[in-house]
Amino acid sequence: MRLKVSRKAHFNAGHRLYRKDWSDEKNREVFGKCSNPNYHGHNYDLTVSVIGEVDPETGFVIDLKILKDLIVREVEEHFDHKNLNIEVPEFKSLNPTVENIAVVIYNRLKPFLEQYELEIKLYETPRNFVTYNGA
Amino acid sequence: MRLKVSRKAHFNAGHRLYRKDWSDEKNREVFGKCSNPNYHGHNYDLTVSVIGEVDPETGFVIDLKILKDLIVREVEEHFDHKNLNIEVPEFKSLNPTVENIAVVIYNRLKPFLEQYELEIKLYETPRNFVTYNGA
Amino acid sequence: MRLKVSRKAHFNAGHRLYRKDWSDEKNREVFGKCSNPNYHGHNYDLTVSVIGEVDPETGFVIDLKILKDLIVREVEEHFDHKNLNIEVPEFKSLNPTVENIAVVIYNRLKPFLEQYELEIKLYETPRNFVTYNGA
Amino acid sequence: MRLKVSRKAHFNAGHRLYRKDWSDEKNREVFGKCSNPNYHGHNYDLTVSVIGEVDPETGFVIDLKILKDLIVREVEEHFDHKNLNIEVPEFKSLNPTVENIAVVIYNRLKPFLEQYELEIKLYETPRNFVTYNGA
Amino acid sequence: MRLKVSRKAHFNAGHRLYRKDWSDEKNREVFGKCSNPNYHGHNYDLTVSVIGEVDPETGFVIDLKILKDLIVREVEEHFDHKNLNIEVPEFKSLNPTVENIAVVIYNRLKPFLEQYELEIKLYETPRNFVTYNGA
Amino acid sequence: MRLKVSRKAHFNAGHRLYRKDWSDEKNREVFGKCSNPNYHGHNYDLTVSVIGEVDPETGFVIDLKILKDLIVREVEEHFDHKNLNIEVPEFKSLNPTVENIAVVIYNRLKPFLEQYELEIKLYETPRNFVTYNGA
């Protein structure tokens, strides 16, 4: 039996949509008010899902305590109350769109979850969100 | 990298479940109180998802401002505060079940989103909803 | 010890904002698209709260089973899947705004809950709601 | 046209994570506080989804009234306000993890929904949930 | 300036509605399936609100980190994954209705928050909840 | 008849908790990671409530379209995608805690709503929020 097991998490961060190799004018033209040079921010709601076989001994696909601790260490402590553009190394030369943040989270978690399929759902606002499964 | 990008929207509308070629009795027998001839209505909650490649230049699958404006024009302005049976041409001879409304929304949006896979999730009530991806 | 005990409920209904003694033009001018003569509708989310003393014998302010059944009988069966303007007697000459619907619900429930303070919270959409306590 | 139609439901139950063939110490070591011998419990939120063709005559994939009644009979009446370990036969020798509960629900509903694909989503807490589709 | 500052928390627990001085039959008659002798349980959602003056130096009514830690220590660690009837001393001779649990939480927190008005909102299920402010 | 009418709104903004007359060290000591000099941010969820008499002619306490437009103009356009510390004049010398933001919103809206009681509820995160009514 193969199930998807999901855990919700949360972090708050500041960012601006911005490419260093473009002028502020070009950034504003393409990214609008999301490119405000003084930064704005979001409450990011995250769901991390792992897909795998149920262990017949425990009845678990994964111990959710282990998944929770992994998310705290690799995502929440890395992103929470940070300025993504300035303080998170992955975005030094990568535009912190919600798509790119989801891919970065996937890439941070995947090495610790190699035996599972992994899916990341990330809400930037209550109305806008993305889903990424490594495809 | 291929992601699903989702945007939530909302409209309120009136309807009745009803086939013109059936009697009111037969409509009531099959559709129950949902066939009330005086109409009732719902707050429809909609999630539109597009699946595509991340543009490496912008970090976007799609500019969400464009997706939002498209949903306003093709869905909200077309359905909001309307009587679906009487005022929305697609339901002149199509029963406005939540399944059929989702298919109509898919068909209205798809021509503007040809380069993406498209998925429609539509809530008729907080407990009842459908998902359609053109299959 | 005095507590507020709350129970959520739900109904779907059709309506238009409309005064019979005004022309359709005046109704449209004042009530906008909410006055569409073909009717639209909503999923109404309701919270009924009663305030009273905890019974030291049972530990209840009110048996929630009794409150639930009262709401089903006096509110859900009376409003659900109805056209408020046409089929609910209280709105024969009363405009079914969310304010007036809340007052009607209060007045229907109060006679069965005389020993309590009563408060009605009614959502017409996820973003618009009213609260009424008989004041 | 092939759609997924979903219906939400809810039940409250008591349980402990526990294998009879392990000692209480081993159970506690593996399952932590979830193995409390005095039992704890949860409000389980359930979404049952069926995937099938839209019937061109009715515009339904399935009559949601029928799906609702099936969930009440096979899930809510079977689990609600029960101690899963003691009172639900399927868990006499099966550990009631959220994964196993989802599989049991799938197996209880599937015989009545043979013509559809079936998917079960089960929340044990607002932050932890699983999805099972018989794979 | 006087504001209400609120913090949400969460715990899972088992219980039965039960008076020791009544027979099981009388308990079942009054409390129905909530009196199941094998226990069931809930995910309790809690909002703790304190009302007080804004400190002009910090702009805080209360440091939310302090309020969060107090709730963890006095509520979550005291109730989470416990059987309320057996393992929580306050319910040794008090029926663990949602009303009484809210009062117990109020009484546990109040000594640490003497300079504020305090309000407890406690959800037993998504549809049933109580509010208590010491009145 | 006197009712409370409520409207929800939303804005995203960046900020840091910070007093100019304190050192960065003292700011960090008192405000912790919320004082990160590079800024972070939030999705602020806002509910604006007005309390007043129902107009017997319209059945409205207030035309919600007017309330919605007022919130857009005075709150959303003023705060959305802004850095509160740098770009919103009210916070030039006022620490942008959630308490102070709620008071600023109250003070911006009150002059346009003099005939009503006004209440502001502001969520900084899904778990932390404040309520202010001018007291």
Side-chain angles (χ1 to χ4, degrees):
Chain A
M1 291 172 321
R2 198 165 173 76
L3 285 90
K4 177 157 74 167
V5 175
S6 303
R7 169 80 193 166
K8 293 194 180 178
H10 185 84
F11 59 91
N12 313 317
H15 81 152
R16 65 177 294 206
L17 298 189
Y18 175 68
R19 284 184 64 104
K20 278 182 180 165
D21 55 337
W22 289 357
S23 65
D24 265 19
E25 291 69 22
K26 172 122 194 226
N27 273 294
R28 176 163 302 271
E29 188 188 308
V30 175
F31 300 124
K33 62 186 179 177
C34 299
S35 195
N36 179 347
N38 293 312
Y39 305 104
H40 64 288
H42 298 285
N43 301 336
Y44 291 91
D45 276 314
L46 172 68
T47 305
V48 175
S49 300
V50 300
I51 302 170
E53 296 289 323
V54 179
D55 178 334
E57 195 171 27
T58 58
F60 285 166
V61 168
I62 189 172
D63 184 335
L64 274 164
K65 178 77 174 61
I66 290 172
L67 183 59
K68 176 186 173 182
D69 291 347
L70 179 65
I71 297 169
V72 168
R73 192 187 76 209
E74 292 297 322
V75 182
E76 293 183 10
E77 292 181 357
H78 195 66
F79 292 102
D80 191 42
H81 281 78
K82 299 284 178 61
N83 181 307
L84 300 179
N85 302 71
I86 297 173
E87 297 175 294
V88 177
E90 286 93 338
F91 300 108
K92 277 284 162 19
S93 61
L94 182 69
N95 193 6
T97 59
V98 62
E99 289 93 334
N100 282 335
I101 302 170
V103 171
V104 165
I105 290 172
Y106 181 95
N107 289 339
R108 289 186 67 83
L109 293 174
K110 185 63 185 167
F112 304 97
L113 297 164
E114 282 298 356
Q115 69 273 41
Y116 303 102
E117 289 179 63
L118 177 61
E119 185 188 274
I120 302 300
K121 183 183 280 197
L122 184 65
Y123 281 78
E124 188 167 75
T125 72
R127 298 200 140 190
N128 295 342
F129 60 101
V130 301
T131 314
Y132 179 59
N133 65 2
Chain B
M1 291 172 320
R2 197 164 174 75
L3 285 91
K4 178 157 75 168
V5 175
S6 303
R7 169 80 193 166
K8 292 194 181 180
H10 184 84
F11 59 92
N12 314 317
H15 81 152
R16 65 178 295 203
L17 298 189
Y18 176 67
R19 283 185 65 103
K20 278 182 181 164
D21 55 338
W22 289 356
S23 65
D24 265 20
E25 290 69 24
K26 173 126 194 223
N27 274 294
R28 176 162 302 270
E29 187 188 308
V30 175
F31 300 123
K33 61 186 179 179
C34 299
S35 195
N36 179 346
N38 293 313
Y39 305 104
H40 64 287
H42 298 285
N43 301 336
Y44 290 91
D45 276 314
L46 172 68
T47 305
V48 175
S49 300
V50 300
I51 302 171
E53 297 290 322
V54 178
D55 178 333
E57 195 170 29
T58 57
F60 286 165
V61 169
I62 188 172
D63 185 334
L64 273 165
K65 178 77 172 63
I66 291 172
L67 183 58
K68 176 187 173 182
D69 291 347
L70 179 65
I71 297 169
V72 168
R73 193 188 73 209
E74 292 297 321
V75 182
E76 293 183 13
E77 292 182 357
H78 195 66
F79 291 102
D80 191 43
H81 281 78
K82 298 285 178 62
N83 181 308
L84 300 180
N85 302 71
I86 297 173
E87 297 175 294
V88 177
E90 287 94 338
F91 299 109
K92 278 283 161 24
S93 61
L94 181 69
N95 192 8
T97 60
V98 62
E99 289 93 332
N100 282 336
I101 302 171
V103 171
V104 165
I105 291 172
Y106 181 95
N107 290 338
R108 289 185 67 83
L109 293 174
K110 184 64 184 168
F112 304 98
L113 297 163
E114 281 298 354
Q115 70 272 41
Y116 304 102
E117 289 179 63
L118 177 61
E119 185 187 274
I120 302 299
K121 182 184 279 197
L122 184 66
Y123 282 78
E124 188 169 75
T125 73
R127 299 200 140 190
N128 296 341
F129 61 100
V130 301
T131 314
Y132 179 60
N133 66 1
Chain C
M1 292 171 320
R2 196 166 175 76
L3 286 90
K4 177 158 75 168
V5 175
S6 302
R7 168 81 193 166
K8 292 194 181 179
H10 184 85
F11 59 91
N12 313 317
H15 81 151
R16 64 177 296 203
L17 298 189
Y18 176 67
R19 284 183 64 104
K20 279 183 182 165
D21 55 337
W22 289 356
S23 65
D24 265 19
E25 291 68 25
K26 173 124 195 225
N27 273 294
R28 174 162 304 270
E29 188 188 309
V30 175
F31 300 123
K33 61 184 178 180
C34 299
S35 195
N36 180 348
N38 294 313
Y39 304 103
H40 64 288
H42 298 286
N43 302 335
Y44 290 91
D45 276 315
L46 172 69
T47 304
V48 175
S49 300
V50 300
I51 302 171
E53 296 290 324
V54 179
D55 177 334
E57 195 171 27
T58 58
F60 286 164
V61 169
I62 188 173
D63 185 334
L64 274 164
K65 178 78 172 63
I66 290 171
L67 183 59
K68 177 186 173 183
D69 291 346
L70 179 65
I71 297 169
V72 168
R73 193 188 73 209
E74 291 298 320
V75 183
E76 292 183 12
E77 292 181 357
H78 194 67
F79 292 102
D80 191 43
H81 281 78
K82 298 286 177 63
N83 181 307
L84 299 179
N85 303 70
I86 298 173
E87 297 175 294
V88 177
E90 285 94 338
F91 300 109
K92 277 283 160 21
S93 61
L94 181 70
N95 192 8
T97 60
V98 61
E99 288 94 334
N100 282 337
I101 303 171
V103 171
V104 165
I105 291 172
Y106 181 95
N107 290 338
R108 289 187 66 83
L109 293 174
K110 185 62 184 169
F112 304 98
L113 297 163
E114 282 298 354
Q115 71 270 42
Y116 303 102
E117 288 179 63
L118 176 62
E119 183 187 274
I120 301 300
K121 182 183 280 197
L122 184 65
Y123 282 77
E124 188 169 75
T125 73
R127 299 200 139 192
N128 296 341
F129 60 100
V130 301
T131 314
Y132 179 60
N133 65 1
Chain D
M1 292 170 320
R2 197 165 174 77
L3 286 91
K4 178 158 73 168
V5 175
S6 303
R7 169 80 193 166
K8 293 193 179 178
H10 185 86
F11 59 92
N12 313 317
H15 81 151
R16 64 178 295 204
L17 298 189
Y18 176 67
R19 283 184 64 104
K20 279 183 179 163
D21 54 338
W22 288 357
S23 66
D24 265 20
E25 291 68 24
K26 173 127 194 224
N27 273 295
R28 176 164 301 272
E29 187 188 309
V30 176
F31 299 123
K33 62 184 179 179
C34 299
S35 195
N36 180 346
N38 294 313
Y39 305 103
H40 64 287
H42 298 285
N43 302 336
Y44 291 91
D45 275 315
L46 172 68
T47 305
V48 175
S49 300
V50 300
I51 302 170
E53 296 290 323
V54 178
D55 177 334
E57 195 170 28
T58 58
F60 286 164
V61 169
I62 189 173
D63 184 335
L64 274 164
K65 179 77 173 61
I66 291 172
L67 183 59
K68 176 186 174 184
D69 291 347
L70 179 65
I71 298 169
V72 168
R73 192 188 74 208
E74 291 298 321
V75 183
E76 294 183 11
E77 292 181 356
H78 195 67
F79 292 101
D80 191 44
H81 281 78
K82 298 285 178 62
N83 181 306
L84 299 179
N85 302 71
I86 297 173
E87 297 174 294
V88 177
E90 287 93 339
F91 300 109
K92 277 284 159 26
S93 61
L94 181 69
N95 191 8
T97 60
V98 62
E99 289 94 333
N100 282 336
I101 303 171
V103 172
V104 165
I105 291 172
Y106 181 95
N107 290 339
R108 289 186 66 83
L109 292 174
K110 185 63 182 168
F112 304 98
L113 297 164
E114 282 298 355
Q115 70 272 42
Y116 303 102
E117 289 179 62
L118 176 61
E119 184 187 274
I120 302 299
K121 181 183 280 198
L122 184 65
Y123 281 79
E124 189 168 76
T125 72
R127 297 199 142 192
N128 296 340
F129 60 100
V130 301
T131 314
Y132 179 60
N133 66 2
Chain E
M1 292 172 320
R2 197 165 174 76
L3 285 89
K4 177 158 75 168
V5 175
S6 303
R7 169 79 192 167
K8 292 193 180 179
H10 185 84
F11 60 90
N12 314 316
H15 81 152
R16 65 178 294 206
L17 298 190
Y18 175 67
R19 285 183 65 103
K20 278 182 180 166
D21 54 337
W22 289 357
S23 65
D24 265 19
E25 290 68 24
K26 172 124 195 225
N27 273 294
R28 176 163 301 272
E29 188 187 308
V30 175
F31 300 123
K33 61 185 180 179
C34 299
S35 195
N36 179 348
N38 294 312
Y39 304 105
H40 64 287
H42 298 287
N43 302 335
Y44 291 91
D45 276 313
L46 172 69
T47 304
V48 175
S49 299
V50 300
I51 302 170
E53 296 290 323
V54 179
D55 177 335
E57 195 170 28
T58 58
F60 286 165
V61 169
I62 188 171
D63 185 334
L64 274 165
K65 177 79 172 63
I66 291 171
L67 183 58
K68 176 187 173 180
D69 291 347
L70 179 65
I71 298 169
V72 168
R73 193 187 74 208
E74 292 297 322
V75 183
E76 293 183 11
E77 293 181 357
H78 194 67
F79 293 102
D80 191 43
H81 282 78
K82 298 285 179 62
N83 181 307
L84 299 179
N85 303 71
I86 297 173
E87 297 175 293
V88 177
E90 285 93 339
F91 300 108
K92 277 285 161 21
S93 61
L94 181 69
N95 192 7
T97 59
V98 62
E99 288 93 334
N100 281 337
I101 303 170
V103 172
V104 165
I105 291 172
Y106 181 95
N107 290 339
R108 288 186 67 83
L109 293 174
K110 186 62 184 167
F112 305 98
L113 297 163
E114 282 297 354
Q115 70 272 42
Y116 303 102
E117 288 179 63
L118 176 61
E119 184 188 275
I120 302 298
K121 182 184 280 198
L122 184 65
Y123 282 78
E124 188 169 75
T125 73
R127 299 199 139 190
N128 295 341
F129 60 100
V130 301
T131 313
Y132 179 60
N133 66 1
Chain F
M1 292 171 321
R2 198 166 173 74
L3 285 91
K4 177 158 74 168
V5 175
S6 303
R7 168 80 193 166
K8 294 195 179 178
H10 185 86
F11 59 91
N12 313 317
H15 81 152
R16 65 177 295 206
L17 298 190
Y18 176 68
R19 283 184 65 103
K20 279 182 180 163
D21 55 337
W22 289 356
S23 65
D24 265 18
E25 290 69 23
K26 172 126 193 222
N27 274 294
R28 175 163 303 271
E29 188 187 309
V30 175
F31 300 124
K33 62 185 179 178
C34 299
S35 195
N36 180 347
N38 294 312
Y39 305 103
H40 64 286
H42 298 286
N43 302 335
Y44 291 91
D45 276 314
L46 172 68
T47 304
V48 175
S49 300
V50 300
I51 302 170
E53 296 290 323
V54 179
D55 178 333
E57 194 170 27
T58 58
F60 286 165
V61 169
I62 188 173
D63 184 335
L64 274 164
K65 178 76 174 62
I66 290 171
L67 183 59
K68 176 186 173 183
D69 291 347
L70 180 66
I71 297 169
V72 168
R73 192 187 75 208
E74 291 298 321
V75 183
E76 294 183 11
E77 293 181 357
H78 195 66
F79 292 101
D80 191 43
H81 280 79
K82 298 287 177 62
N83 181 306
L84 300 179
N85 303 70
I86 298 172
E87 297 175 294
V88 177
E90 285 94 338
F91 300 108
K92 277 285 161 19
S93 61
L94 181 69
N95 193 7
T97 59
V98 61
E99 288 94 333
N100 281 336
I101 303 171
V103 172
V104 165
I105 291 172
Y106 181 95
N107 290 338
R108 289 186 66 83
L109 292 175
K110 185 63 183 168
F112 305 98
L113 297 163
E114 283 298 355
Q115 71 272 40
Y116 303 101
E117 288 179 64
L118 176 62
E119 184 188 275
I120 302 299
K121 181 183 279 197
L122 184 65
Y123 281 78
E124 189 169 75
T125 73
R127 297 200 142 191
N128 296 341
F129 60 99
V130 301
T131 313
Y132 180 59
N133 66 2

